[in-house]
Amino acid sequence: MKTLFLGLLLGAFVCAQSPAPFVPNYDEAKVGTYTLPDPLTMNDGSKVTTAQQWRKRRAELLQLFAENVYGRTPTTKSKLRFEEKLRDANALNGLATRREITVHLTAKADGPKMNLMLYVPNKRTGRVPAFLAMNYGGNHAVHADPKITMATAWMRDNKDNGIVNHRATEKSRGVEARRWPIEMIVQRGYGVATFYYGDLFPDHNDGRPNSIIPHLTKDEDWNAIGAWAWGFSRALDYLERDKDIDAKRVAVMGHSRHGKAALWAGAQDERFAIVISNDSGESGAALARRNFGETVWRINTSFPHWFNAKYKTYNDRVNELPVDQHEILALIAPRPLYVASAVEDQWADPRGEFLSALAASPVYKLLGKDGLSAMQMPGIHQPVFSTIGYHIRAGIHDVTNYDWEQFLNFADRHLRQT
Ligand code: GCU
């Protein structure tokens, strides 16, 4: 009895010191039961049956996501200024013209800025469609080209990748190139635009003071995912001014945390012609109500700077969230949306991503589109190219050439010039 008592006491002490480690559920039988909120029911309970009514519901959903998940995007229209810093007409051995553009994000000369890098195929007859995606390690990480200006912003230390004292060193050139088949994209006739996500919000818990947020709002509610999504829209503001790009045919693509931001950007900003989520998982494409892999509690605990304060109040009552992630996908409708999963990326809940895409379909159908045509989760490497596209590939959490090939095929189908 005494030993038991001591054991319990010790157990309680250990618990108080270090909380029990998070054990993700990977058993489909233990996912739990849930009822998804209906994207086609208004807050007052009335049903949405016409495209006009959907416009109202769309506004409601945007507000619900802003209030409960991503935080409110400031409405201040900042006066942007674009400055072309560098032009290399012979990039990729003559395949493309590569430019670097500084985007000044406020009217202040010494205010925050983001560095956009743009590849435009040299073989083109008119304006080209383009992919826009953020990078994790600075523009110089996406290709080994020594002429690319090295990022100077804060980065997470990573000796293997050449990040020392939170700054990039020469060793970091091209470390992300594996994920960026730029030659292939350019050869397929598309431009590629990219910027370092840390230009908008350095990705750590105390990143806010050095982010763009204090320059734009006093609202405590806006956080990193919102700031990154905002950055996507500012990059599109630039692309709209660029004479080589057809800004009406820009696909915004994001991997993982960038995928969460790409979805929120695409939901809010209807100028994006296509939205692509790659392995975006929890609080991205995957259904929050499914207890599988990462959970709302876990994401809010590991990354408190990503979402707003109210989202944290749902950590242990996810069924009470007024929205679920199929509704962020529905906000892309009727525009083409592509959701990509990887079979070994169970943390991101591939089935939850598929089911979410399926549950967004009724909104696409209301708007006269086909939604996701597969009713069952397709097998590995069997991409579906309906207005909502989907694939699951072999392998781990990553962006591979296979993923890009599908994005290109999807874009060819849906962005073909008329
Ligand atoms: C973590 C996080 C995910 C996120 C991923 C990434 O694994 O839990 O939610 O998508 O990082 O961005 O790579």
Side-chain angles (χ1 to χ4, degrees):
M1 190 63 203
K2 207 170 158 193
T3 348
L4 179 69
F5 177 73
L6 275 175
L8 284 175
L9 201 70
L10 189 69
F13 178 73
V14 170
C15 275
Q17 292 302 301
S18 53
F22 174 66
V23 183
N25 171 47
Y26 290 125
D27 180 353
E28 203 52 47
K30 292 187 186 143
V31 159
T33 52
Y34 56 86
T35 309
L36 291 180
D38 178 8
L40 292 175
T41 298
M42 301 285 298
N43 289 346
D44 69 5
S46 60
K47 297 284 173 206
V48 174
T49 55
T50 66
Q52 286 93 315
Q53 286 168 340
W54 167 250
R55 294 305 300 173
K56 290 202 181 125
R57 176 60 181 153
R58 197 185 127 73
E60 281 187 356
L61 280 173
L62 281 172
Q63 204 176 337
L64 288 172
F65 275 108
E67 281 171 7
N68 296 286
V69 183
Y70 302 107
R72 290 173 294 267
T73 307
T75 46
T76 26
K77 276 254 173 292
S78 54
K79 219 176 150 63
L80 305 182
R81 201 159 47 80
F82 309 110
E83 209 184 327
E84 186 172 305
K85 282 286 177 70
L86 197 145
R87 177 184 287 250
D88 175 4
N90 203 30
L92 313 177
N93 294 320
L95 275 183
T97 296
R98 188 182 68 81
R99 282 185 275 145
E100 294 183 14
I101 300 110
T102 304
V103 180
H104 296 271
L105 296 165
T106 63
K108 276 211 220 126
D110 59 348
K113 46 189 193 277
M114 66 195 248
N115 299 303
L116 190 71
M117 179 162 78
L118 176 64
Y119 286 90
V120 177
N122 282 338
K123 210 170 118 196
R124 61 176 191 279
T125 44
R127 289 172 182 260
V128 292
F131 285 88
L132 169 64
M134 301 189 287
N135 57 68
Y136 280 90
N139 294 340
H140 67 279
V142 309
H143 198 284
D145 182 348
K147 290 194 206 134
I148 301 176
T149 304
M150 182 108 87
T152 55
W154 180 95
M155 282 175 203
R156 188 171 305 286
D157 274 347
N158 183 333
K159 270 220 175 83
D160 292 342
N161 281 351
I163 311 299
V164 182
N165 294 331
H166 299 300
R167 296 290 177 251
T169 66
E170 278 296 323
K171 193 183 169 195
S172 61
R173 286 197 181 277
V175 287
E176 239 175 88
R178 203 177 43 80
R179 287 181 170 179
W180 293 83
I182 299 178
E183 280 88 346
M184 172 172 90
I185 304 170
V186 162
Q187 274 169 325
R188 296 270 302 249
Y190 291 84
V192 179
T194 185
F195 58 95
Y196 173 52
Y197 79 133
D199 284 354
L200 285 307
F201 194 118
D203 191 5
H204 60 94
N205 296 358
D206 304 315
R208 173 182 284 266
N210 295 318
S211 75
I212 47 146
I213 292 181
H215 298 274
L216 296 168
T217 179
K218 291 196 167 38
D219 192 339
E220 290 290 312
D221 207 45
W222 208 38
N223 233 335
I225 299 278
W228 298 328
W230 186 86
F232 273 132
S233 287
R234 301 298 68 82
L236 185 55
D237 290 344
Y238 169 75
L239 295 175
E240 281 188 327
R241 300 267 217 95
D242 194 289
K243 291 193 175 56
D244 294 331
I245 299 291
D246 180 355
K248 294 205 159 52
R249 291 188 295 153
V250 171
V252 60
M253 179 278 189
H255 166 64
S256 208
R257 63 197 69 183
H258 293 184
K260 307 177 208 297
L263 289 171
W264 182 224
Q268 296 175 92
D269 190 337
E270 294 179 278
R271 294 174 301 166
F272 287 112
I274 291 189
V275 181
I276 302 170
S277 144
N278 192 74
D279 303 353
S280 65
E282 189 67 36
S283 315
L287 291 174
R289 279 168 172 73
R290 268 173 61 87
N291 174 24
F292 195 100
E294 191 172 22
T295 63
V296 170
W297 174 84
R298 173 57 203 250
I299 205 167
N300 279 330
T301 308
S302 312
F303 306 102
H305 59 293
W306 283 3
F307 303 97
N308 77 349
K310 183 117 180 257
Y311 198 39
K312 296 170 182 75
T313 69
Y314 295 102
N315 280 352
D316 299 315
R317 48 177 194 117
V318 75
N319 281 311
E320 290 170 45
L321 261 169
V323 285
D324 208 311
Q325 296 306 113
H326 62 307
E327 293 174 304
I328 195 93
L329 303 186
L331 283 167
I332 316 289
R335 292 163 293 154
L337 157 74
Y338 198 91
V339 176
S341 311
V343 78
E344 286 175 45
D345 186 17
Q346 294 292 306
W347 180 247
D349 188 12
R351 181 170 295 279
E353 295 185 319
F354 170 79
L355 292 174
S356 180
L358 196 62
S361 285
V363 175
Y364 277 78
K365 290 194 176 132
L366 176 78
L367 301 178
K369 300 284 179 181
D370 57 355
L372 180 59
S373 61
M375 296 310 285
Q376 302 294 329
M377 199 163 165
I380 291 175
H381 301 159
Q382 288 172 24
V384 178
F385 290 124
S386 37
T387 311
I388 302 180
Y390 179 82
H391 77 239
I392 178 159
R393 64 156 167 80
I396 58 166
H397 186 70
D398 201 358
V399 195
T400 66
N401 279 7
Y402 177 85
D403 295 318
W404 276 109
E405 277 156 20
Q406 311 323 310
F407 304 156
L408 284 160
N409 292 343
F410 186 70
D412 278 356
R413 184 176 294 224
H414 291 285
L415 291 180
R416 200 169 294 152
Q417 202 142 32
T418 43

